[in-house]
Structure formats: C-alpha cells, structure tokens
Amino acid sequence: MAQLWGGRFTKETDQLVYNFNASISFDQKFYKQDIRGSIAHTTMLAACGILTDEERDQIIDGLNGILHDVEAGTLAITSEYEDIHSFVEANLIDRIGDVGKKLHTGRSRNDQVALDMKLYTRDEIIDIKELLKELLTTLHSLMKKHTDTYMPGFTHLQKAQPITLAHHFGAYMEMFKRDYSRLCDIYERMNYCPLGSGALAGTTYPLDRELTASLLGFYGPTLNSMDSVADRDYCIELLSALATIMMHLSRFSEEIIIWNSNEYKFVELDDSYSTGSSIMPQKKNPDIAELVRGKTGRVYGALTSLLTTMKGIPLAYNKDMQEDKEFTFDAIDTVKGCIALFNGMIKTMTVNKHNMAESAKKGFTNATDAADYLVNHGVPFRDAHGIVGRLVLICIDKGIALDDLPLSEYKEVSPVFEEDIYQAISMKECVEKRNTIGAPGTEAIKKVIEINEEYLKNLK
Ligand code: ARG
C-alpha cells in the first residue's frame, strides 16, 4: 500500500478498504496526461519563483524518465499504488530524491484529477473527430457513386416512395455531421484549465494559472475553484454525444442487417466483415453490424450512470466522482471501435443495384406519382388518392406493378389516364421530379454533394 497520506492515522488501512478505494486499475489509463499536467505545473511553479530552475529541471527530467520507462515497458504501473497520481509522485521521489516531494506544492489531487480527466477526454475528442471524419468521407464517396441507384424509401418499414441510395446515405451524412459539430461544441466549452484550484478553495501560493492553462493548450483558467474540482459536465456532455453517435450507428446497422438479409439482398457484406455459423454451413452473418447495435446499450448505460452519480453530490469534490472514469473510458473505446469497424464494413460491402430498383418497382412506390398525375390533370387530390388505391388493389390481385397495368384498365378506373402515365410513374422520373433542396432528385443531390465536398475540405 503506497499512499500519499497517513500522517494523521494511527492504524493501517484495512486491505478491503484499500482495494475498494483504489483507482489505479483504471486511472493508469491517463498516465501520460498526469505527467503532462505535472510538467506544466512544475514549469509554472518555477516561473513564479516557488521552485528554482534547477529544481524544475530535476523534476521535469524525472517525470520524463517515468514517461519513457512506462512506454518502454520497463516500469510497470502496479496496484501497490492507490492511484496514478501516487504512482507518479512516488516514482519521482525514488528517482530524484527529496526534491520530488516539491512537485505537489500548490496542488491537490482534486484539481489534479479534474485536469487529467479533462486532458484525457480532450485528447479523445480529437481522435473521435478524426474517426468521424473518415466515416463522413466514406459516406461522401458512396453518395457520389450512387446518385442513380434507385431503391424504395420506407416509412413504417413499408415501401413508400422511390429514392436513391445516395439520398439514403445522405441522411446518415447529416446525422454524423451533427455528431461532429456536437464534439466541437463540447471542446469549446470544456477547454478551460482547472489546475490551481487546489482541493476546493484555491491556494495561498502566488500561482500563475494563466500560464499553466496556456502551457496545456487551454483557452484560460476556470473561474471558480469549487466548480473546477466538482465539474464533470464535460464528461456528461461527451457521453451524451457518444450515445447519440451510437444511436445513429445502431439505426444504420439495423438497416444494413435488413438489407443484407436473404429476403432483401440489397447489399452483401464482404467476407472479411462477416462471420460464419458453427453448425449451419450456409450462414454468413452480419455480426459486426449486430455488435455495433448491441454495444449502443453500454454507452447509454455510461451516460445514465454518470448522470445518476453526479445528481446528489454536494460541492465540492466527493469520492463518488471517481466513478466518472471506468464508464467514460469504456464508452470512448467502444465508440472508437464501432466507428472504425462500421466504416470498414460499409466501405467493403457490395451494393446490388438491380435488386434495389426491382424492389422499388414492385412495392408501388410510384403510387403517389400516379395520384400526382391525376392532380396535374385537374382531379382533386382526395379523389386521385382513391382512384390510385383501386388501381393498386387490381395490381395486387394480378401480381403486377403499376408500370405493367394496361392503359385500358387504367382508363376503366379513370378516363383521365393517357399513354404518358407510364413515363410519369417511371422510377427515374419519380425520383428526378423531386428536385427541391434536400430531395432525392439528381440536381438536388448533386448540389448537396457539392456542399458536403466544401464541408469536408474545411473540416477542422
Ligand atoms: N482517484 C481519485 C478520483 O478519481 C483522485 C482524487 C482523489 N482525491 C481525494 N480527495 N481523495 O477522483
């Protein structure tokens, strides 16, 4: 048991208590950030005359040595230490002697852990943004490729109106663009440095908090020392953004699973992204899409868990807040894995254009257009709706599409129909006519693709 405290205790900590309290098994994940924060703190202490330049250099060399040895695998982070902060400080003292004991001047583990968690999540936001950018780039090229891949658009999972695959991918493009901008917003709001807030009430040392903040790439110091050590809003915001990303990935996965099924055959997942069955030789399963859908639950769980943990905590720091870490780390790792795998899966899947178009044709997705044809010839929409409904019934009876019903039968139901009805309800025409911005028509989609091209170019 290596602890940073003990002076006022007369008994050893019970082993079970020690184990229950310790966080080293998970907070070792931010050893880099802990060391980075300590180096900035040391630099600031020397700039303020609290440490000599010599002491500063010794401490920084020691900290860099620890970083080097941990990364090289020659220094193991073990459960002998209570947390990562104790590990780093104890090792520093081992290495450089008494001067190492000066590192913690003007600092508490409360502002230290608040800083570490911020640095860690901030680094991860940058990584997740990069992964989202790759996914957006894949979707963009798929959109460009599929502006004339016709398919049914669905409502209630019933075929509704014809669209293109580019349009369908475009919907997800918008969702992930919003996800990206949510991450940017969080970054902007969280990017203030809590270090220098001490345990809760600042310190009596003349610290230069602006300097520490700028050394660590923050916009400035946080403005209330109590809030600084008690704030986990940025974790909650991040978990909420991650939960939303997972919700999007899960909906998309659900669609891929349906499209990849034997009944639909709209797409075929690549062998490298599919798995087999131990008993049924014919099987090729969409496990990756299913796992992405399934893992959504644990990310939602992380959000609910932290919101619940935080809701009853009085100011300022309380140990409950140590519970912020495991779920947040797990959610971050889960989302990163899911975005990367999902991206690879859609990049490598094959699209069956023929099946998609046939399905749109067979599903009466052009029925609205047949009604619009009548409206354009002076029939009130409500009557047109009824007429086409009757035509659909006839076609269902005959097992044919509206495109294959002879004109004579059209005319029996309404004399308004002429030969040009076939042109008016052709798949191409149905899609092409929808050219307001945001609609699936080629002109409209090309405009959106251009906007997205610019968007991706300027993405920061
Ligand atoms: N492991 C602790 C956490 O994650 C570090 C802060 C400890 N502070 C304290 N006063 N016990 O929150």
Side-chain angles (χ1 to χ4, degrees), residues 5 21-24 26-27 30 82-85 108-114 199 232 317-325:
W5 41 272
N21 196 48
S23 52
I24 188 89
F26 46 87
D27 65 17
F30 51 47
E82 182 187 341
D83 54 29
I84 191 63
H85 324 296
S108 153
R109 273 186 300 167
N110 297 354
D111 60 345
Q112 187 179 359
V113 78
R232 293 296 180 274
Y317 179 84
N318 292 259
K319 193 67 177 230
D320 319 40
M321 286 161 68
Q322 180 167 288
E323 287 295 307
D324 61 353
K325 292 175 195 61

PDB file of all heavy atoms in Angstrom, residues 5 21-24 26-27 30 82-85 108-114 199 232 317-325, ligand 1:
ATOM      1  N   TRP A   5      -0.856   9.799   1.920  1.00  0.00           N
ATOM      2  CA  TRP A   5      -1.303  10.366   3.185  1.00  0.00           C
ATOM      3  C   TRP A   5      -1.043   9.331   4.277  1.00  0.00           C
ATOM      4  O   TRP A   5      -0.515   8.281   3.997  1.00  0.00           O
ATOM      5  CB  TRP A   5      -2.799  10.710   3.089  1.00  0.00           C
ATOM      6  CG  TRP A   5      -3.585   9.653   2.368  1.00  0.00           C
ATOM      7  CD1 TRP A   5      -3.802   9.579   1.032  1.00  0.00           C
ATOM      8  CD2 TRP A   5      -4.206   8.505   2.933  1.00  0.00           C
ATOM      9  NE1 TRP A   5      -4.521   8.467   0.718  1.00  0.00           N
ATOM     10  CE2 TRP A   5      -4.797   7.785   1.864  1.00  0.00           C
ATOM     11  CE3 TRP A   5      -4.344   8.001   4.232  1.00  0.00           C
ATOM     12  CZ2 TRP A   5      -5.490   6.591   2.058  1.00  0.00           C
ATOM     13  CZ3 TRP A   5      -5.054   6.823   4.423  1.00  0.00           C
ATOM     14  CH2 TRP A   5      -5.616   6.134   3.341  1.00  0.00           C
ATOM     15  N   ASN A  21     -11.191   1.450  -2.451  1.00  0.00           N
ATOM     16  CA  ASN A  21     -10.918   2.881  -2.633  1.00  0.00           C
ATOM     17  C   ASN A  21      -9.984   3.162  -3.815  1.00  0.00           C
ATOM     18  O   ASN A  21     -10.059   4.223  -4.431  1.00  0.00           O
ATOM     19  CB  ASN A  21     -10.270   3.380  -1.333  1.00  0.00           C
ATOM     20  CG  ASN A  21     -10.270   4.881  -1.219  1.00  0.00           C
ATOM     21  OD1 ASN A  21     -11.286   5.524  -1.444  1.00  0.00           O
ATOM     22  ND2 ASN A  21      -9.129   5.457  -0.883  1.00  0.00           N
ATOM     23  N   ALA A  22      -9.112   2.201  -4.105  1.00  0.00           N
ATOM     24  CA  ALA A  22      -8.056   2.443  -5.094  1.00  0.00           C
ATOM     25  C   ALA A  22      -8.619   2.594  -6.507  1.00  0.00           C
ATOM     26  O   ALA A  22      -9.629   1.993  -6.855  1.00  0.00           O
ATOM     27  CB  ALA A  22      -7.059   1.286  -5.060  1.00  0.00           C
ATOM     28  N   SER A  23      -7.921   3.410  -7.293  1.00  0.00           N
ATOM     29  CA  SER A  23      -8.389   3.619  -8.674  1.00  0.00           C
ATOM     30  C   SER A  23      -7.304   3.317  -9.699  1.00  0.00           C
ATOM     31  O   SER A  23      -7.507   3.495 -10.893  1.00  0.00           O
ATOM     32  CB  SER A  23      -8.873   5.063  -8.841  1.00  0.00           C
ATOM     33  OG  SER A  23      -7.883   5.976  -8.403  1.00  0.00           O
ATOM     34  N   ILE A  24      -6.161   2.827  -9.220  1.00  0.00           N
ATOM     35  CA  ILE A  24      -5.014   2.629 -10.122  1.00  0.00           C
ATOM     36  C   ILE A  24      -5.337   1.681 -11.288  1.00  0.00           C
ATOM     37  O   ILE A  24      -4.813   1.841 -12.384  1.00  0.00           O
ATOM     38  CB  ILE A  24      -3.778   2.127  -9.324  1.00  0.00           C
ATOM     39  CG1 ILE A  24      -2.514   2.105 -10.185  1.00  0.00           C
ATOM     40  CG2 ILE A  24      -3.988   0.750  -8.720  1.00  0.00           C
ATOM     41  CD1 ILE A  24      -1.744   3.372 -10.187  1.00  0.00           C
ATOM     42  N   PHE A  26      -7.778   1.518 -13.124  1.00  0.00           N
ATOM     43  CA  PHE A  26      -8.332   2.186 -14.314  1.00  0.00           C
ATOM     44  C   PHE A  26      -7.751   3.575 -14.582  1.00  0.00           C
ATOM     45  O   PHE A  26      -7.624   3.972 -15.725  1.00  0.00           O
ATOM     46  CB  PHE A  26      -9.865   2.241 -14.262  1.00  0.00           C
ATOM     47  CG  PHE A  26     -10.462   2.680 -12.941  1.00  0.00           C
ATOM     48  CD1 PHE A  26     -10.654   4.018 -12.674  1.00  0.00           C
ATOM     49  CD2 PHE A  26     -10.813   1.743 -11.973  1.00  0.00           C
ATOM     50  CE1 PHE A  26     -11.195   4.432 -11.460  1.00  0.00           C
ATOM     51  CE2 PHE A  26     -11.353   2.153 -10.745  1.00  0.00           C
ATOM     52  CZ  PHE A  26     -11.544   3.501 -10.488  1.00  0.00           C
ATOM     53  N   ASP A  27      -7.331   4.322 -13.518  1.00  0.00           N
ATOM     54  CA  ASP A  27      -6.852   5.674 -13.855  1.00  0.00           C
ATOM     55  C   ASP A  27      -5.427   5.663 -14.407  1.00  0.00           C
ATOM     56  O   ASP A  27      -4.924   6.687 -14.861  1.00  0.00           O
ATOM     57  CB  ASP A  27      -7.062   6.691 -12.712  1.00  0.00           C
ATOM     58  CG  ASP A  27      -6.265   6.403 -11.447  1.00  0.00           C
ATOM     59  OD1 ASP A  27      -5.312   5.621 -11.520  1.00  0.00           O
ATOM     60  OD2 ASP A  27      -6.618   6.988 -10.399  1.00  0.00           O
ATOM     61  N   PHE A  30      -4.654   7.288 -17.848  1.00  0.00           N
ATOM     62  CA  PHE A  30      -4.193   8.637 -18.198  1.00  0.00           C
ATOM     63  C   PHE A  30      -2.839   8.999 -17.569  1.00  0.00           C
ATOM     64  O   PHE A  30      -2.620  10.138 -17.174  1.00  0.00           O
ATOM     65  CB  PHE A  30      -5.264   9.705 -17.986  1.00  0.00           C
ATOM     66  CG  PHE A  30      -5.988   9.781 -16.676  1.00  0.00           C
ATOM     67  CD1 PHE A  30      -5.312   9.738 -15.473  1.00  0.00           C
ATOM     68  CD2 PHE A  30      -7.366   9.974 -16.673  1.00  0.00           C
ATOM     69  CE1 PHE A  30      -5.987   9.872 -14.272  1.00  0.00           C
ATOM     70  CE2 PHE A  30      -8.058  10.112 -15.496  1.00  0.00           C
ATOM     71  CZ  PHE A  30      -7.365  10.056 -14.282  1.00  0.00           C
ATOM     72  N   GLU A  82      -2.104   3.614  -4.833  1.00  0.00           N
ATOM     73  CA  GLU A  82      -3.539   3.870  -4.718  1.00  0.00           C
ATOM     74  C   GLU A  82      -4.136   4.371  -6.038  1.00  0.00           C
ATOM     75  O   GLU A  82      -5.209   3.959  -6.457  1.00  0.00           O
ATOM     76  CB  GLU A  82      -3.765   4.919  -3.615  1.00  0.00           C
ATOM     77  CG  GLU A  82      -5.215   5.243  -3.368  1.00  0.00           C
ATOM     78  CD  GLU A  82      -5.374   6.424  -2.388  1.00  0.00           C
ATOM     79  OE1 GLU A  82      -4.418   6.744  -1.659  1.00  0.00           O
ATOM     80  OE2 GLU A  82      -6.467   7.008  -2.376  1.00  0.00           O
ATOM     81  N   ASP A  83      -3.403   5.269  -6.662  1.00  0.00           N
ATOM     82  CA  ASP A  83      -3.892   5.825  -7.926  1.00  0.00           C
ATOM     83  C   ASP A  83      -2.706   6.269  -8.768  1.00  0.00           C
ATOM     84  O   ASP A  83      -1.557   6.210  -8.309  1.00  0.00           O
ATOM     85  CB  ASP A  83      -4.884   6.980  -7.680  1.00  0.00           C
ATOM     86  CG  ASP A  83      -4.317   8.071  -6.778  1.00  0.00           C
ATOM     87  OD1 ASP A  83      -3.081   8.268  -6.785  1.00  0.00           O
ATOM     88  OD2 ASP A  83      -5.096   8.718  -6.059  1.00  0.00           O
ATOM     89  N   ILE A  84      -2.996   6.743  -9.977  1.00  0.00           N
ATOM     90  CA  ILE A  84      -1.907   7.106 -10.890  1.00  0.00           C
ATOM     91  C   ILE A  84      -1.101   8.292 -10.355  1.00  0.00           C
ATOM     92  O   ILE A  84       0.106   8.378 -10.570  1.00  0.00           O
ATOM     93  CB  ILE A  84      -2.455   7.377 -12.320  1.00  0.00           C
ATOM     94  CG1 ILE A  84      -1.326   7.487 -13.350  1.00  0.00           C
ATOM     95  CG2 ILE A  84      -3.323   8.621 -12.365  1.00  0.00           C
ATOM     96  CD1 ILE A  84      -0.510   6.247 -13.545  1.00  0.00           C
ATOM     97  N   HIS A  85      -1.770   9.166  -9.610  1.00  0.00           N
ATOM     98  CA  HIS A  85      -1.070  10.338  -9.067  1.00  0.00           C
ATOM     99  C   HIS A  85      -0.014   9.889  -8.048  1.00  0.00           C
ATOM    100  O   HIS A  85       1.109  10.386  -8.046  1.00  0.00           O
ATOM    101  CB  HIS A  85      -2.059  11.311  -8.408  1.00  0.00           C
ATOM    102  CG  HIS A  85      -3.378  11.380  -9.111  1.00  0.00           C
ATOM    103  ND1 HIS A  85      -3.488  11.843 -10.396  1.00  0.00           N
ATOM    104  CD2 HIS A  85      -4.636  11.008  -8.737  1.00  0.00           C
ATOM    105  CE1 HIS A  85      -4.757  11.777 -10.769  1.00  0.00           C
ATOM    106  NE2 HIS A  85      -5.476  11.250  -9.788  1.00  0.00           N
ATOM    107  N   SER A 108      -3.697  19.865  -5.350  1.00  0.00           N
ATOM    108  CA  SER A 108      -4.403  18.802  -4.634  1.00  0.00           C
ATOM    109  C   SER A 108      -4.705  17.729  -5.664  1.00  0.00           C
ATOM    110  O   SER A 108      -4.727  17.999  -6.871  1.00  0.00           O
ATOM    111  CB  SER A 108      -5.705  19.372  -4.058  1.00  0.00           C
ATOM    112  OG  SER A 108      -6.670  18.362  -3.922  1.00  0.00           O
ATOM    113  N   ARG A 109      -4.971  16.529  -5.197  1.00  0.00           N
ATOM    114  CA  ARG A 109      -5.371  15.526  -6.188  1.00  0.00           C
ATOM    115  C   ARG A 109      -6.729  15.874  -6.806  1.00  0.00           C
ATOM    116  O   ARG A 109      -7.078  15.387  -7.861  1.00  0.00           O
ATOM    117  CB  ARG A 109      -5.430  14.137  -5.550  1.00  0.00           C
ATOM    118  CG  ARG A 109      -4.089  13.433  -5.566  1.00  0.00           C
ATOM    119  CD  ARG A 109      -4.218  12.034  -5.062  1.00  0.00           C
ATOM    120  NE  ARG A 109      -4.708  12.014  -3.696  1.00  0.00           N
ATOM    121  CZ  ARG A 109      -5.153  10.937  -3.060  1.00  0.00           C
ATOM    122  NH1 ARG A 109      -5.164   9.776  -3.686  1.00  0.00           N
ATOM    123  NH2 ARG A 109      -5.572  10.981  -1.813  1.00  0.00           N
ATOM    124  N   ASN A 110      -7.471  16.733  -6.098  1.00  0.00           N
ATOM    125  CA  ASN A 110      -8.789  17.097  -6.628  1.00  0.00           C
ATOM    126  C   ASN A 110      -8.687  17.922  -7.911  1.00  0.00           C
ATOM    127  O   ASN A 110      -9.395  17.661  -8.888  1.00  0.00           O
ATOM    128  CB  ASN A 110      -9.593  17.866  -5.575  1.00  0.00           C
ATOM    129  CG  ASN A 110      -9.877  17.018  -4.354  1.00  0.00           C
ATOM    130  OD1 ASN A 110      -9.563  15.828  -4.348  1.00  0.00           O
ATOM    131  ND2 ASN A 110     -10.439  17.615  -3.329  1.00  0.00           N
ATOM    132  N   ASP A 111      -7.806  18.927  -7.899  1.00  0.00           N
ATOM    133  CA  ASP A 111      -7.661  19.678  -9.162  1.00  0.00           C
ATOM    134  C   ASP A 111      -6.796  18.893 -10.145  1.00  0.00           C
ATOM    135  O   ASP A 111      -6.966  19.010 -11.368  1.00  0.00           O
ATOM    136  CB  ASP A 111      -7.157  21.119  -8.946  1.00  0.00           C
ATOM    137  CG  ASP A 111      -5.804  21.229  -8.274  1.00  0.00           C
ATOM    138  OD1 ASP A 111      -5.332  20.226  -7.704  1.00  0.00           O
ATOM    139  OD2 ASP A 111      -5.230  22.338  -8.292  1.00  0.00           O
ATOM    140  N   GLN A 112      -5.924  18.024  -9.604  1.00  0.00           N
ATOM    141  CA  GLN A 112      -5.080  17.214 -10.489  1.00  0.00           C
ATOM    142  C   GLN A 112      -5.925  16.216 -11.290  1.00  0.00           C
ATOM    143  O   GLN A 112      -5.771  16.084 -12.503  1.00  0.00           O
ATOM    144  CB  GLN A 112      -4.044  16.470  -9.639  1.00  0.00           C
ATOM    145  CG  GLN A 112      -3.006  15.723 -10.435  1.00  0.00           C
ATOM    146  CD  GLN A 112      -1.985  15.029  -9.528  1.00  0.00           C
ATOM    147  OE1 GLN A 112      -2.051  15.136  -8.298  1.00  0.00           O
ATOM    148  NE2 GLN A 112      -1.045  14.328 -10.128  1.00  0.00           N
ATOM    149  N   VAL A 113      -6.838  15.543 -10.608  1.00  0.00           N
ATOM    150  CA  VAL A 113      -7.646  14.542 -11.319  1.00  0.00           C
ATOM    151  C   VAL A 113      -8.636  15.229 -12.256  1.00  0.00           C
ATOM    152  O   VAL A 113      -8.932  14.730 -13.353  1.00  0.00           O
ATOM    153  CB  VAL A 113      -8.357  13.570 -10.337  1.00  0.00           C
ATOM    154  CG1 VAL A 113      -9.598  14.183  -9.702  1.00  0.00           C
ATOM    155  CG2 VAL A 113      -8.726  12.275 -11.044  1.00  0.00           C
ATOM    156  N   ALA A 114      -9.100  16.419 -11.849  1.00  0.00           N
ATOM    157  CA  ALA A 114     -10.001  17.164 -12.734  1.00  0.00           C
ATOM    158  C   ALA A 114      -9.254  17.522 -14.019  1.00  0.00           C
ATOM    159  O   ALA A 114      -9.805  17.426 -15.127  1.00  0.00           O
ATOM    160  CB  ALA A 114     -10.511  18.425 -12.040  1.00  0.00           C
ATOM    161  N   ALA A 199      -7.645  21.971  -3.436  1.00  0.00           N
ATOM    162  CA  ALA A 199      -8.626  20.977  -3.008  1.00  0.00           C
ATOM    163  C   ALA A 199     -10.037  21.476  -3.308  1.00  0.00           C
ATOM    164  O   ALA A 199     -10.907  20.718  -3.736  1.00  0.00           O
ATOM    165  CB  ALA A 199      -8.475  20.691  -1.533  1.00  0.00           C
ATOM    166  N   ARG A 232     -18.130  17.788 -13.730  1.00  0.00           N
ATOM    167  CA  ARG A 232     -17.950  16.700 -14.690  1.00  0.00           C
ATOM    168  C   ARG A 232     -18.956  16.861 -15.839  1.00  0.00           C
ATOM    169  O   ARG A 232     -19.276  15.909 -16.530  1.00  0.00           O
ATOM    170  CB  ARG A 232     -18.142  15.329 -14.017  1.00  0.00           C
ATOM    171  CG  ARG A 232     -17.083  14.966 -12.993  1.00  0.00           C
ATOM    172  CD  ARG A 232     -15.676  14.815 -13.587  1.00  0.00           C
ATOM    173  NE  ARG A 232     -14.679  14.454 -12.580  1.00  0.00           N
ATOM    174  CZ  ARG A 232     -14.018  15.327 -11.819  1.00  0.00           C
ATOM    175  NH1 ARG A 232     -14.230  16.612 -11.947  1.00  0.00           N
ATOM    176  NH2 ARG A 232     -13.135  14.903 -10.924  1.00  0.00           N
ATOM    177  N   TYR A 317     -15.468  18.528  -4.153  1.00  0.00           N
ATOM    178  CA  TYR A 317     -15.094  17.162  -4.527  1.00  0.00           C
ATOM    179  C   TYR A 317     -15.648  16.144  -3.531  1.00  0.00           C
ATOM    180  O   TYR A 317     -15.637  16.348  -2.325  1.00  0.00           O
ATOM    181  CB  TYR A 317     -13.563  17.017  -4.612  1.00  0.00           C
ATOM    182  CG  TYR A 317     -13.156  15.592  -4.965  1.00  0.00           C
ATOM    183  CD1 TYR A 317     -13.117  15.166  -6.280  1.00  0.00           C
ATOM    184  CD2 TYR A 317     -12.873  14.658  -3.965  1.00  0.00           C
ATOM    185  CE1 TYR A 317     -12.799  13.859  -6.608  1.00  0.00           C
ATOM    186  CE2 TYR A 317     -12.552  13.340  -4.280  1.00  0.00           C
ATOM    187  CZ  TYR A 317     -12.514  12.950  -5.605  1.00  0.00           C
ATOM    188  OH  TYR A 317     -12.206  11.665  -5.927  1.00  0.00           O
ATOM    189  N   ASN A 318     -16.141  15.047  -4.050  1.00  0.00           N
ATOM    190  CA  ASN A 318     -16.513  13.881  -3.232  1.00  0.00           C
ATOM    191  C   ASN A 318     -16.034  12.649  -3.979  1.00  0.00           C
ATOM    192  O   ASN A 318     -15.946  12.647  -5.219  1.00  0.00           O
ATOM    193  CB  ASN A 318     -18.031  13.784  -3.067  1.00  0.00           C
ATOM    194  CG  ASN A 318     -18.607  14.915  -2.232  1.00  0.00           C
ATOM    195  OD1 ASN A 318     -18.904  14.769  -1.061  1.00  0.00           O
ATOM    196  ND2 ASN A 318     -18.764  16.079  -2.851  1.00  0.00           N
ATOM    197  N   LYS A 319     -15.772  11.592  -3.241  1.00  0.00           N
ATOM    198  CA  LYS A 319     -15.151  10.416  -3.855  1.00  0.00           C
ATOM    199  C   LYS A 319     -16.069   9.740  -4.882  1.00  0.00           C
ATOM    200  O   LYS A 319     -15.605   8.991  -5.748  1.00  0.00           O
ATOM    201  CB  LYS A 319     -14.745   9.426  -2.762  1.00  0.00           C
ATOM    202  CG  LYS A 319     -13.824   8.309  -3.232  1.00  0.00           C
ATOM    203  CD  LYS A 319     -12.440   8.824  -3.651  1.00  0.00           C
ATOM    204  CE  LYS A 319     -11.557   7.664  -4.043  1.00  0.00           C
ATOM    205  NZ  LYS A 319     -10.257   7.681  -3.395  1.00  0.00           N
ATOM    206  N   ASP A 320     -17.366   9.995  -4.777  1.00  0.00           N
ATOM    207  CA  ASP A 320     -18.295   9.439  -5.778  1.00  0.00           C
ATOM    208  C   ASP A 320     -17.764   9.697  -7.194  1.00  0.00           C
ATOM    209  O   ASP A 320     -17.996   8.918  -8.118  1.00  0.00           O
ATOM    210  CB  ASP A 320     -19.675  10.116  -5.728  1.00  0.00           C
ATOM    211  CG  ASP A 320     -20.218  10.394  -4.349  1.00  0.00           C
ATOM    212  OD1 ASP A 320     -19.431  10.790  -3.477  1.00  0.00           O
ATOM    213  OD2 ASP A 320     -21.437  10.237  -4.169  1.00  0.00           O
ATOM    214  N   MET A 321     -17.118  10.859  -7.322  1.00  0.00           N
ATOM    215  CA  MET A 321     -16.737  11.304  -8.661  1.00  0.00           C
ATOM    216  C   MET A 321     -15.680  10.419  -9.314  1.00  0.00           C
ATOM    217  O   MET A 321     -15.470  10.484 -10.523  1.00  0.00           O
ATOM    218  CB  MET A 321     -16.270  12.757  -8.608  1.00  0.00           C
ATOM    219  CG  MET A 321     -17.468  13.680  -8.424  1.00  0.00           C
ATOM    220  SD  MET A 321     -17.029  15.294  -7.808  1.00  0.00           S
ATOM    221  CE  MET A 321     -16.152  15.900  -9.209  1.00  0.00           C
ATOM    222  N   GLN A 322     -15.031   9.591  -8.510  1.00  0.00           N
ATOM    223  CA  GLN A 322     -14.084   8.627  -9.084  1.00  0.00           C
ATOM    224  C   GLN A 322     -14.804   7.664 -10.041  1.00  0.00           C
ATOM    225  O   GLN A 322     -14.187   7.061 -10.908  1.00  0.00           O
ATOM    226  CB  GLN A 322     -13.417   7.851  -7.942  1.00  0.00           C
ATOM    227  CG  GLN A 322     -12.409   6.827  -8.380  1.00  0.00           C
ATOM    228  CD  GLN A 322     -11.584   6.336  -7.203  1.00  0.00           C
ATOM    229  OE1 GLN A 322     -10.744   7.046  -6.686  1.00  0.00           O
ATOM    230  NE2 GLN A 322     -11.832   5.111  -6.772  1.00  0.00           N
ATOM    231  N   GLU A 323     -16.112   7.553  -9.843  1.00  0.00           N
ATOM    232  CA  GLU A 323     -16.931   6.684 -10.701  1.00  0.00           C
ATOM    233  C   GLU A 323     -17.100   7.241 -12.121  1.00  0.00           C
ATOM    234  O   GLU A 323     -17.732   6.632 -12.957  1.00  0.00           O
ATOM    235  CB  GLU A 323     -18.315   6.465 -10.073  1.00  0.00           C
ATOM    236  CG  GLU A 323     -18.308   5.534  -8.871  1.00  0.00           C
ATOM    237  CD  GLU A 323     -17.918   4.107  -9.231  1.00  0.00           C
ATOM    238  OE1 GLU A 323     -18.531   3.536 -10.145  1.00  0.00           O
ATOM    239  OE2 GLU A 323     -16.989   3.576  -8.614  1.00  0.00           O
ATOM    240  N   ASP A 324     -16.584   8.441 -12.367  1.00  0.00           N
ATOM    241  CA  ASP A 324     -16.688   9.005 -13.718  1.00  0.00           C
ATOM    242  C   ASP A 324     -15.839   8.229 -14.730  1.00  0.00           C
ATOM    243  O   ASP A 324     -16.128   8.244 -15.921  1.00  0.00           O
ATOM    244  CB  ASP A 324     -16.270  10.497 -13.730  1.00  0.00           C
ATOM    245  CG  ASP A 324     -14.817  10.723 -13.291  1.00  0.00           C
ATOM    246  OD1 ASP A 324     -14.166   9.764 -12.856  1.00  0.00           O
ATOM    247  OD2 ASP A 324     -14.354  11.879 -13.380  1.00  0.00           O
ATOM    248  N   LYS A 325     -14.794   7.546 -14.217  1.00  0.00           N
ATOM    249  CA  LYS A 325     -13.762   7.091 -15.138  1.00  0.00           C
ATOM    250  C   LYS A 325     -14.077   5.825 -15.935  1.00  0.00           C
ATOM    251  O   LYS A 325     -14.045   5.840 -17.172  1.00  0.00           O
ATOM    252  CB  LYS A 325     -12.436   6.911 -14.394  1.00  0.00           C
ATOM    253  CG  LYS A 325     -11.913   8.247 -13.959  1.00  0.00           C
ATOM    254  CD  LYS A 325     -10.684   8.177 -13.130  1.00  0.00           C
ATOM    255  CE  LYS A 325     -10.493   9.524 -12.470  1.00  0.00           C
ATOM    256  NZ  LYS A 325     -11.617   9.910 -11.570  1.00  0.00           N
TER     257      LYS A 325
HETATM  258  N1  ARG B   1      -8.855   8.734  -7.632  1.00  0.00           N
HETATM  259  C1  ARG B   1      -9.475   9.957  -7.295  1.00  0.00           C
HETATM  260  C2  ARG B   1     -10.577  10.264  -8.335  1.00  0.00           C
HETATM  261  O1  ARG B   1     -10.544   9.669  -9.324  1.00  0.00           O
HETATM  262  C3  ARG B   1      -8.481  11.057  -7.297  1.00  0.00           C
HETATM  263  C4  ARG B   1      -8.830  12.230  -6.432  1.00  0.00           C
HETATM  264  C5  ARG B   1      -8.685  11.844  -5.030  1.00  0.00           C
HETATM  265  N2  ARG B   1      -8.967  12.917  -4.146  1.00  0.00           N
HETATM  266  C6  ARG B   1      -9.305  12.721  -2.888  1.00  0.00           C
HETATM  267  N3  ARG B   1      -9.559  13.754  -2.184  1.00  0.00           N
HETATM  268  N4  ARG B   1      -9.390  11.519  -2.381  1.00  0.00           N
HETATM  269  O2  ARG B   1     -11.445  11.070  -8.116  1.00  0.00           O
END
